[in-house]
Amino acid sequence: MSRSAPPAPPLPPAMPGPVAVPTQPASRPQLQMAPRATHIDRRPDSQSESTWDKDAVIELLDVHKAFGALRVLDGVTCRIPRGEITVLMGPSGTGKSVLLRHIVGLLPPDAGDIFVDQRDVPKLNERDLLALRRGIGMLFQDGALFSSMNLFDNVAFPLRQHTSKGEGEVREIVMEHLVEVGLAGAEKRMPNELSGGMRKRAGFARALVMEPSILLFDEPDSGLDPVRTTLLCDLIREISKKYNATSIVVSHDVGAVRRFADNIGILYKGKMRQFGTQHEVELSQDEFVHQFFNASSEGPLGMD
Ligand SMILES: Nc1ncnc2c1ncn2[C@@H]1O[C@H](COP(=O)(O)OP(=O)(O)OP(=O)(O)O)[C@@H](O)[C@H]1O
Ligand SMILES: [Mg+2]
């Protein structure tokens, strides 16, 4: 990283509301973390540390969610370590996007607890939810740009919506982030004049303008060619580290995941089948995890 910036500010303090926000959940169900790797050679570097040892900024505890008869999350538990990149993997339709939407309070769980920076997300009122979301940058699966606004206005939108900054300052911030994601010069283009990769990077710039301490990326690499996937993954790593952000990245690209993941969660059939450091997941003896993480055709997972 060429220049260093001060770490992103912590989330604004929870506003007083009718709901008491506990600092810790009252009861914690058994975490389904990767077993501590006592029987294996531990690496001398930080990868040998277990996610158990780390400070968590996001906690999901026994989260359940169904849509009618479709049970999507069936007791998901995980702790997302602060200041690291955690990748969420799993077959298509398994609930990865649904899980992210729970973290920002766009979907309520049927049961279970979700804490973000010690705030009890499902219990937050509208005002506190908005305050929470101001501290979270989210890149949706499809980029989710407003089709009627040009690139500049799309990226400026959160600043104009959530801050009282003047247009001069807005321009300065937007241009800084457009340069960061390699889109300087394209600011007048409409979304339909941008390539898929450019739209992703535009969504990325928009996720960054509020200097969030938490970044959620839903398949930032889908639909990109291999070179752009690598470049985007490097950008995610660089920017996450630059802002000292806690990032969750949903990705199917095992090669890319190996490049930037500190921790990996693998969701399958409504449960977090494995959650641990990349090193722990690589060493997993679970045949599904092994098949998925190695993108192998051999294993329990078939086309069905
Ligand atoms: N608001 C909703 N109402 C009803 N069903 C939904 C809703 N949102 C998601 N689902 C269903 O929940 C399941 C999980 O969806 P989700 O989008 O989380 O999958 P995913 O793991 O992100 O898949 P992909 O890798 O293809 O993006 C799917 O069967 C989907 O149709
Ligand atoms: Mg999805």
Side-chain angles (χ1 to χ4, degrees), residues 29-30 32 60-67 69-77 94-96 98-99 102 109-112 267-273:
Q30 192 66 38
Q32 300 157 348
L60 279 82
L61 302 167
D62 200 22
V63 172
H64 292 253
K65 181 71 179 180
F67 296 105
L70 179 67
R71 200 180 292 175
V72 178
L73 305 179
D74 188 20
V76 168
T77 295
T94 201
K96 304 178 296 297
V98 164
L99 190 150
H102 278 79
D110 297 335
L267 201 59
Y268 183 53
K269 293 197 170 169
K271 298 195 190 298
M272 198 59 84
R273 181 79 173 227

Side-chain angles (χ1 to χ4, degrees), residues 62-138:
D62 200 22
V63 172
H64 292 253
K65 181 71 179 180
F67 296 105
L70 179 67
R71 200 180 292 175
V72 178
L73 305 179
D74 188 20
V76 168
T77 295
C78 61
R79 303 173 75 243
I80 308 296
R82 187 180 297 278
E84 297 193 351
I85 299 177
T86 297
V87 171
L88 193 57
M89 303 183 83
S92 182
T94 201
K96 304 178 296 297
S97 300
V98 164
L99 190 150
L100 291 188
R101 294 171 83 83
H102 278 79
I103 292 172
V104 288
L106 286 170
L107 281 174
D110 297 335
D113 291 310
I114 299 155
F115 294 90
V116 176
D117 251 353
Q118 301 183 345
R119 299 167 195 216
D120 190 341
V121 178
K123 297 207 177 91
L124 294 179
N125 60 31
E126 262 314 297
R127 195 180 54 154
D128 293 348
L129 256 184
L130 287 177
L132 175 87
R133 288 182 196 145
R134 278 199 285 275
I136 299 179
M138 179 144 181

